[in-house]
Amino acid sequence: TLFRSVKGRFRCGNGYVANAKIKLVDKDPGSDDRMDDDDVRTNSEGRFEVVGSASDGMGMDIDPVLKVYHRCQYGKAPGSGKKRRAIFFIPDKYIGTASKHAPTMDLGEINLEVQMEKSPDSWRNE
C-alpha cells in the first residue's frame, strides 16, 4: 500500500476558496479510483489537507492526481463563478509506505482565478 498526503491553500482573487471539494485519485490509465475515503473540503480560509492510500494489484506504480472542484472565476466574487476543476499531478517523491514515510506535498497558496491549459499526459514528463 502506498500513501500520499497533500496540503495547501486556495485563493480566489483577494478572497479564499471555501468549501471546494478536494479529491485525491489514482490516475492510472483507465482508472479514476479515489485514494482518499473522506469528503475533503477547503475550510473558510481556503486551507485543506488530504491523505490517501492505494495499492495497485498489478504491481504497477500509481499516479496520484489532486482534483479541486470550485467556483472561482476571474472577475467574479469567490463562489459565484461557473463550476471549474483544477488538476495537479503529485510528484513521485511524495510516495510513502507503512515503513518509509514520505513528506507531505505542500502546494502552498494558489489563486484559482488562473486558467491552466490542458495538456496531454505525454507532455507531463518532458
Side-chain angles (χ1 to χ4, degrees):
T1 302
L2 302 174
F3 298 91
R4 307 265 176 142
S5 157
V6 183
K7 69 179 182 177
R9 186 179 200 186
F10 294 117
R11 297 188 71 89
C12 184
N14 293 328
Y16 299 108
V17 177
N19 205 34
K21 189 173 192 173
I22 308 289
K23 286 185 180 181
L24 188 59
V25 300
D26 177 9
K27 196 57 181 165
D28 279 332
S31 171
D32 196 19
D33 296 327
R34 285 190 70 161
M35 295 174 64
D36 62 285
D37 294 328
D38 299 325
D39 183 24
V40 177
R41 295 190 179 265
T42 55
N43 68 15
S44 62
E45 296 180 340
R47 297 182 192 279
F48 74 93
E49 184 165 4
V50 61
V51 178
S53 64
S55 58
D56 190 328
M58 301 173 66
M60 299 170 61
D61 291 332
I62 58 172
D63 296 315
V65 174
L66 184 79
K67 295 182 179 182
V68 183
Y69 299 87
H70 63 93
R71 288 183 173 270
C72 177
Q73 189 174 355
Y74 176 73
K76 305 271 185 179
S80 65
K82 66 180 181 176
K83 290 182 183 179
R84 296 176 62 202
R85 179 181 70 182
I87 298 175
F88 302 90
F89 292 90
I90 308 304
D92 288 341
K93 73 179 185 178
Y94 296 99
I95 297 173
T97 63
S99 61
K100 178 186 174 252
H101 297 285
T104 297
M105 170 70 190
D106 188 345
L107 288 178
E109 188 169 296
I110 297 173
N111 187 336
L112 291 175
E113 285 181 315
V114 68
Q115 282 279 16
M116 292 185 274
E117 181 180 2
K118 292 184 180 180
S119 59
D121 285 344
S122 61
W123 293 1
R124 201 167 55 129
N125 297 322
E126 291 183 5

